């Protein structure tokens, strides 16, 4: 008897191999967004994104028995996307807000899909596979452009500066984006090595590749971000080795220190960027922040409405210039960008999402034996610190990583699981 075609399709969509392939396709689409748009245009890129979302929803429908929803979708995360959607009501550009919310939801849905179908170690392996490929292709193209051809690859945005020590951007779009991807890769490859998910040779190759990419990117603030991540990692190593009673005292001290540090960092953000040897970028960033502060003052509570990546044809984005007269691609700070688009209301909600996620992820990372639980905590530290000088947290890869990390933390430490009925 022939097997019905619908059953065959359902079997393929719900298979572990399909889930793995789709996960890596989603990650590649987010990591290489700038290059894909350069090659295909916005229409082609959006077609890929919508197609992946449709496949993701179909895959979830095909494997309901494997999906555990209870306690995995945090209310705080739902609140953030709800504020984005509700901002349509007061938006200065309602049509663009609808488009921006739909775009953000696409990456949010992809993040939810990956979090539901991949466990911790599978997630780290998928991210590691993608980042190894992206960094390898990026370095290969930089060698081709900067050494072998000694000419730029203009349509990919590669300037061919490798022979003079950088900056390079690979296929990440910009040098700052490459530095962010390289820092994420260092975290991921280290977790792979610690969990023995890959051979020592593969781990060594990946770490060397990520460090070289970070070095030649010459991103002004990358070392500050990496220092914050490494500090968090070292603290976690110490905390994980402590007995339970000493761990609680240490966690309380760390919480107080973190709150004070965040307040200090926000108050002196311009000077901190300057310490990172980024004098030219300090002037650019502070001028942008000052203009946004003036623009948003009449609508500081609710903002101008969500749009996501800046639309230079719309006000207030068209009115912002950096210190050199050029239009910035974003507010160069995720928190300032949130205030501009969603006002203080959105900033408070985003702060709540990050605070709850960090506390949950940190507690899980410090208490669980496997090193794989450290990944969400360190990724959140990476996102939070990077957000002081870039807006990656709010768009594409950054937004997907936020959803992944928040859901991973919620899955392992959710108050709703305490209310769930127990068997027996």
């Amino acid at each position: 008897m022939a097997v019905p075609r619908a059953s065959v399709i359902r079997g393929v969509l719900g298979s572990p191999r399909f889930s793995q392939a789709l996960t890596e396709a989603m990650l590649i689409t987010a990591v290489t967004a700038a290059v894909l748009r350069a090659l295909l245009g916005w229409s082609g890129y959006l077609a890929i994104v919508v197609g992946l979302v449709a496949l993701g929803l179909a895959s979830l429908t095909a494997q309901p028995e494997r999906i555990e929803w209870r306690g995995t979708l945090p209310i705080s995360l739902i609140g953030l996307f709800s504020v984005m959607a509700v901002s349509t009501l007061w938006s200065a550009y309602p049509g663009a807000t609808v488009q921006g919310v739909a775009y953000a939801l696409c990456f949010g849905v992809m993040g939810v899909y990956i979090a539901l179908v991949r466990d911790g170690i599978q997630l780290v392996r998928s991210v590691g596979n993608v980042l190894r490929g992206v960094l390898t292709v990026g370095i290969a193209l930089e060698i081709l452009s900067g050494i072998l051809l000694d000419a730029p690859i203009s349509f990919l945005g590669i300037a061919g500066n490798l022979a003079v020590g950088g900056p390079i951007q690979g296929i990440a779009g910009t040098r700052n984006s490459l530095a962010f991807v390289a820092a994420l890769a260092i975290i991921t490859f280290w977790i792979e090595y610690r969990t023995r998910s890959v051979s020592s040779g593969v781990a060594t190759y990946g770490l060397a590749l990520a460090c070289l990419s970070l070095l030649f990117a010459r991103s002004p603030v990358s070392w500050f971000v990496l220092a914050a991540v490494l500090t968090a990692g070292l603290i976690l190593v110490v905390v994980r080795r402590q007995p339970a009673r000493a761990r609680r005292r240490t966690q309380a001290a760390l919480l107080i220190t973190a709150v004070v540090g965040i307040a200090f960092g926000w108050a002196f953000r311009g000077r901190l960027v300057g310490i990172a040897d980024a004098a030219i970028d300090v002037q650019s960033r502070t001028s942008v922040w000052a203009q946004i502060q003036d623009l948003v003052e009449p609508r500081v509570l609710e903002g101008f409405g969500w749009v996501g990546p800046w639309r230079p044809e719309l006000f207030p984005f068209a009115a912002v210039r950096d210190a050199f007269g050029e239009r910035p691609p974003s507010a160069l700070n995720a928190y300032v960008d949130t205030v501009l688009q969603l006002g203080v209301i959105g900033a408070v909600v985003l702060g709540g999402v990050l605070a709850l996620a960090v506390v949950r992820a940190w507690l899980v990372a410090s208490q669980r034996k496997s090193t794989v639980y450290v990944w969400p905590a360190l990724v959140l530290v990476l996102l939070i610190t990077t957000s002081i000088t870039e807006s990656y947290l709010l768009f594409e890869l950054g937004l997907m990583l936020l959803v992944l990390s928040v859901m991973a933390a919620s899955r392992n430490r959710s108050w709703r699981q305490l209310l769930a009925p127990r068997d027996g």
Side-chain angles (χ1 to χ4, degrees):
M1 183 177 179
V3 179
R5 181 177 299 178
S7 298
V8 173
I9 295 174
R10 182 184 179 91
V12 171
L13 292 174
S15 67
R17 286 189 177 182
F18 182 85
S19 296
Q20 179 183 352
L22 185 57
T23 293
E24 295 187 6
M26 290 175 172
L27 289 167
I28 291 171
T29 301
V31 174
T32 62
V35 168
L36 288 176
R37 283 196 295 269
L39 292 173
L40 305 174
W42 267 104
S43 298
Y45 184 70
L46 289 175
I48 293 174
V49 170
V50 172
L52 290 173
V53 170
L55 287 174
L57 294 175
S59 179
L60 288 178
T61 304
Q63 48 184 327
E65 69 284 350
R66 300 176 188 167
I67 304 302
E68 177 56 63
W69 288 91
R70 186 175 59 192
T72 59
L73 195 58
I75 293 176
S76 59
L77 200 58
I78 296 173
L80 177 62
F81 281 95
S82 297
V83 172
M84 292 180 186
V86 172
S87 71
T88 307
L89 300 177
W90 61 76
S91 173
Y93 31 74
T97 296
V98 171
Q99 295 171 2
V101 171
Y103 189 63
L105 281 173
C106 284
F107 287 92
V109 169
M110 286 192 282
V112 169
Y113 172 80
I114 295 171
L116 289 174
V117 301
R118 303 276 90 184
D119 62 23
I121 195 65
Q122 290 172 334
L123 171 60
V124 171
R125 283 296 310 276
S126 294
V127 175
N129 290 340
V130 169
L131 295 182
R132 263 188 299 275
V134 168
L135 293 179
T136 298
V137 172
I139 288 293
L141 288 173
E142 289 288 352
I143 292 173
L144 177 66
S145 173
I147 297 177
L148 299 180
L149 298 179
D150 194 21
I153 304 177
S154 302
F155 70 96
L156 293 179
I158 295 176
N161 293 327
L162 183 60
V164 296
I168 66 172
Q169 54 278 330
I171 56 173
T174 65
R175 62 175 179 168
N176 289 334
S177 296
L178 177 61
F180 174 75
V181 170
L184 175 64
I186 290 173
I187 296 171
T188 305
F189 298 156
W190 178 73
I191 297 295
E192 283 187 321
Y193 171 73
R194 292 289 298 168
T195 56
R196 300 182 181 179
S197 302
V198 296
S199 66
S200 58
V202 172
T204 302
Y205 168 76
L207 286 169
L209 185 66
C211 290
L212 282 173
S213 299
L214 188 64
L215 178 65
F216 283 104
R218 289 174 56 182
S219 173
V221 294
S222 60
W223 298 108
F224 160 72
V225 171
L226 188 61
V229 173
L230 291 177
T231 301
L234 290 173
I235 293 173
L236 270 176
V237 169
V238 174
V239 171
R240 284 165 60 86
R241 293 178 178 178
Q242 289 183 321
R245 182 174 296 181
R247 187 186 300 149
R248 283 193 291 271
R249 291 195 296 268
T250 304
Q251 302 281 38
L254 287 172
L255 178 61
I256 295 172
T257 304
V259 171
V260 174
I262 291 171
F264 178 86
W266 177 256
F268 298 98
R269 58 191 181 276
R271 293 185 182 180
L272 287 175
V273 177
I275 293 172
D277 194 26
I280 191 170
D281 279 34
V282 168
Q283 189 177 2
S284 177
R285 283 173 164 79
T286 53
S287 64
V288 169
W289 298 338
Q291 291 175 64
I292 290 174
Q293 184 177 1
D294 293 337
L295 288 168
V296 81
E297 187 173 352
R299 307 182 64 156
V300 69
L301 184 64
E302 75 281 11
F304 284 89
W306 181 258
V307 70
W310 278 21
R311 302 276 291 270
E313 74 276 12
L314 299 175
F315 181 85
F317 314 110
V320 180
R321 295 288 190 280
D322 63 20
F324 309 101
E326 298 183 2
R327 286 180 177 174
S330 69
L332 304 176
N333 183 301
Y335 313 112
V336 174
D337 225 329
T338 303
V339 172
L340 177 65
Q341 299 191 38
L342 297 178
V344 173
I345 295 173
V348 170
V349 173
L350 177 63
V353 172
L354 292 173
L356 286 172
V358 167
V359 170
R360 283 171 169 167
W362 191 271
L363 291 175
V364 171
S366 62
Q367 294 171 1
R368 297 292 182 92
K369 185 177 180 180
S370 175
T371 313
V372 74
Y373 294 105
V374 174
W375 190 84
L378 293 185
V379 169
L380 284 167
V381 172
L382 173 64
L383 289 171
I384 290 169
T385 51
T386 302
S387 295
I388 297 173
T389 56
E390 296 290 348
S391 296
Y392 301 148
L393 174 68
L394 304 177
F395 322 127
E396 296 158 355
L397 176 62
L399 186 59
M400 181 187 288
L401 289 173
L402 175 64
V403 172
L404 280 172
S405 302
V406 170
M407 288 192 64
S410 178
R411 177 193 294 133
N412 292 293
R413 199 176 185 92
S414 173
W415 60 267
R416 282 176 286 172
Q417 291 177 346
L418 300 177
L419 303 179
R422 300 177 182 271
D423 295 336

